[in-house]
Amino acid sequence: MLMWDGLYSRALERAKGALPGTGRILLAYNTNIDAVKYLDPHDLEGRIERAGRDEVLRYSEELPDRIREIPHLLGGILWSIKRGKAAELFVENMHVRQYMREWGWNELRMGGQVGIMANLLGGVYGIPVIAHVPQISELQANLFKDGPIYVPKVEKGILKFVHPKEFSGDEESLTHYIYEFPRGFEVLGIRAPRENRFIGSADDYNPNLYIRPEFRENFEEIAEMVQLAIISGLQALTKENYAGPFEEIERHLEILNERGIPVHLEFAFTPDETVRRKLVDILGKFTSVGLNEVELASVMEVLGEKELAELLLAHDPVDPLAVVEAMRKLAEVTGVRRIHFHTYGYYIALTSYTGEHIRDSLLFAALAAAAKAKLGDVRNLEDVGRALDVPVNEKAVDVEGRLKEEFGLKEGIARVEEGQLSFVPTKIVARPKSTVGIGDTISSSAFVCEFALRG
Ligand code: AMP
Ligand code: GLC
């Protein structure tokens, strides 16, 4: 572990030195408001009884495809608690939206991959970002941190870039209700094996991947201004509505590819199989992809690798040899040059190129993730630095041992036929403040830091 402590400190110093020099980053497409509610077991139990326990329990066995009535919502929450797994469903019905609003929240936070990454990259790391925000209400705008965060605005036919607080749009508030529970949370004898959350999205824009006219009409000009791009928010599309947005995204990717701009896809869990398959089809147009074990397993499933998919979900910590096998398959099928896998306890990257900076970026990302888990919101680079005190996950020792044996890993790095495998054991916060947005923090920090350190 001593070796890792040294590598962590050095990576932090390197990252701090390099990050300010990163070029402008484009972030598209999903931003929303997260209304975070920390669940109370008595309150939840009362609500389940009033809504009809049997019906609620039914949906805790099998998730409905969207939320149309209150038992769907409460059943979805129970589904997540029972498994300690995250889930997100679209809330279609106005009366359930009203119920959620009245139930209330403890905190309003920035939400959506774009919003979370904009605040981290722009607001904390000080890197200029251009963000796609589907609707800019006053509340949404005020959730943006100060700093070099910009949205396009067209005034008298001229394209300008302003901070969201200066956009002055009187648009809708897109609210996602986040129901968080700690490890050991218990209701009706159901106990959460891990902390996690259930999300109900009362939002008619992000789930349909609405793209603003400012972006559609000026994308070439926007692409001219950036050096890196991160794309996210495709996860809620369905076979009914994906065709239009995919056409526009492929056009955007072509423009970015023509200009040689590296593009990262933040995968996120995509329940619709058709959409997942389409995402795999276009993955070669991205430079990089970020995903966790559930997402990697779901990709293996659409590639016809059922056994491998099951293996990825069978052990805790996740079997690293299965992870590497799956990453290699994905790289081979799609041609994507960088795959960043993250799970509870460790990260692995498979890249077609080599260098220590790839591992160092993963280390920096793990510090940012620990800071986010501990505080809920990372305020500055000092918060990231203080995460050096969080202990390195002990379970990752075995994981590292297996990778050493198989690939001759040294200080987290191994050369492989395709290029390089980079591994880091992560820092795990024992009692995290909340879990939402940690994945986004990990993926964006690692991707951006890697390009900053590339020199
Ligand atoms: P996602 O499932 O994509 O939102 O990402 C969640 C990731 O956050 C996991 O893969 C872990 O690497 C990380 N994570 C979750 N809980 C903690 C924690 N308590 N401390 C540090 N990292 C965490
Ligand atoms: C999804 C959710 C959003 C949340 C984000 C965190 O995009 O819709 O509410 O903030 O995930 O990763």
Side-chain angles (χ1 to χ4, degrees):
M1 285 300 150
L2 261 182
M3 174 192 92
W4 285 111
D5 287 342
L7 291 175
Y8 261 110
S9 307
R10 209 174 58 192
L12 177 66
E13 286 319 306
R14 285 182 177 166
K16 281 206 289 201
L19 281 174
T22 319
R24 245 183 249 117
I25 305 171
L26 169 66
L27 303 172
Y29 301 88
N30 59 328
T31 307
N32 62 269
I33 297 161
D34 279 349
V36 184
K37 171 109 193 147
Y38 299 105
L39 288 169
D40 171 84
H42 301 294
D43 173 39
L44 182 59
E45 189 171 334
R47 286 172 187 275
I48 294 171
E49 295 298 354
R50 288 194 292 279
R53 179 203 276 239
D54 290 346
E55 233 197 316
V56 171
L57 285 175
R58 200 170 101 213
Y59 296 115
S60 74
E61 288 307 318
E62 194 161 343
L63 277 180
D65 62 345
R66 45 183 56 197
I67 296 174
R68 297 191 179 87
E69 44 183 271
I70 291 161
H72 289 161
L73 168 68
L74 300 171
I77 294 175
L78 269 189
W79 183 96
S80 281
I81 293 173
K82 203 170 189 168
R83 294 161 180 81
K85 295 257 178 228
E88 176 167 356
L89 293 178
F90 170 63
V91 185
E92 190 179 79
N93 188 293
M94 282 305 155
H95 112 97
V96 186
R97 290 187 183 187
Q98 182 62 23
Y99 176 90
M100 295 160 92
R101 201 170 16 247
E102 282 168 10
W103 192 356
W105 52 82
N106 299 96
E107 244 174 84
L108 286 176
R109 280 213 227 145
M110 177 58 85
Q113 273 76 25
V114 168
I116 292 168
M117 292 179 186
N119 271 351
L120 181 71
L121 303 176
V124 180
Y125 303 162
I127 305 167
V129 298
I130 299 178
H132 180 263
V133 188
Q135 288 286 286
I136 312 183
S137 65
E138 200 181 327
L139 182 57
Q140 179 75 76
N142 283 325
L143 290 173
F144 279 95
K145 290 185 191 285
D146 292 332
I149 301 172
Y150 303 100
V151 290
K153 181 171 189 172
V154 177
E155 262 175 4
K156 298 194 184 106
I158 298 169
L159 179 67
K160 289 186 177 169
F161 292 88
V162 297
H163 189 279
K165 285 181 195 161
E166 273 137 42
F167 184 85
S168 317
D170 188 14
E171 300 179 341
E172 283 181 48
S173 278
L174 313 179
T175 312
H176 293 194
Y177 294 85
I178 317 279
Y179 299 97
E180 291 254 9
F181 51 87
R183 177 188 305 235
F185 180 95
E186 200 173 329
V187 63
L188 300 177
I190 299 174
R191 213 177 142 82
R194 250 198 64 186
E195 61 275 11
N196 224 318
R197 77 278 177 176
F198 175 83
I199 305 181
S201 3
D203 169 355
D204 299 306
Y205 289 79
N206 288 299
N208 293 308
L209 214 120
Y210 169 78
I211 303 177
R212 300 184 68 97
E214 294 91 333
F215 266 75
R216 287 178 179 271
E217 289 157 19
N218 304 292
F219 197 80
E220 278 90 347
E221 222 174 307
I222 293 171
E224 276 299 329
M225 302 184 56
V226 299
Q227 279 76 46
L228 283 178
I230 303 181
I231 303 275
S232 60
L234 286 65
Q235 65 268 18
L237 291 171
T238 62
K239 59 178 176 304
E240 287 81 28
N241 69 359
Y242 81 91
F246 257 66
E247 207 174 296
E248 182 68 3
I249 292 161
E250 288 194 64
R251 187 176 77 84
H252 292 181
L253 283 171
E254 240 159 68
I255 295 171
L256 294 166
N257 286 341
E258 265 167 28
R259 287 169 173 71
I261 296 164
V263 191
H264 173 87
L265 172 69
E266 186 53 19
F267 198 87
F269 186 66
T270 310
D272 189 295
E273 223 176 277
T274 309
V275 177
R276 216 183 309 146
R277 213 177 289 273
K278 293 283 169 197
L279 271 176
V280 174
D281 286 348
I282 63 166
L283 202 55
K285 299 186 179 176
F286 292 89
T287 318
S288 165
V289 60
L291 26 64
N292 66 18
E293 68 278 15
V294 179
E295 291 148 12
L296 186 58
S298 75
V299 169
M300 286 303 115
E301 245 167 46
V302 299
L303 292 181
E305 299 284 344
K306 286 248 170 342
E307 268 176 44
L308 190 50
E310 278 167 24
L311 192 55
L312 285 168
L313 299 177
H315 303 283
D316 180 25
V318 183
D319 177 351
L321 300 188
V323 171
V324 174
E325 192 185 336
M327 291 169 102
R328 287 183 131 167
K329 287 236 152 73
L330 188 58
E332 191 191 315
V333 173
T334 62
V336 69
R337 297 202 297 281
R338 176 182 184 274
I339 303 175
H340 175 184
F341 169 83
H342 63 84
T343 187
Y344 199 77
Y346 70 90
Y347 311 153
I348 298 182
L350 174 66
T351 46
S352 66
Y353 45 88
T354 61
E356 273 190 4
H357 66 295
I358 306 164
R359 178 209 55 207
D360 287 347
S361 316
L362 299 184
L363 290 168
F364 174 70
L367 289 174
K372 174 91 178 167
K374 196 157 82 174
L375 304 167
D377 179 47
V378 184
R379 293 160 302 184
N380 46 45
L381 275 167
E382 284 70 51
D383 279 346
V384 178
R386 277 192 284 273
L388 281 171
D389 294 342
V390 177
V392 171
N393 172 35
E394 279 181 12
K395 285 192 187 162
V397 175
D398 291 341
V399 175
E400 188 181 1
R402 296 191 65 202
L403 291 169
K404 271 186 182 158
E405 228 170 79
E406 188 71 21
F407 301 105
L409 192 80
K410 276 201 198 87
E411 296 195 330
I413 295 175
R415 294 296 289 267
V416 288
E417 212 179 293
E418 298 90 335
Q420 180 170 306
L421 272 182
S422 311
F423 161 87
V424 305
T426 64
K427 292 175 172 274
I428 293 288
V429 174
R431 298 199 146 271
K433 167 115 198 292
S434 97
T435 63
V436 72
I438 307 183
D440 308 333
T441 302
I442 297 169
S443 296
S444 59
S445 298
F447 178 66
V448 168
C449 184
E450 188 184 305
F451 281 88
L453 288 176
R454 188 175 53 164

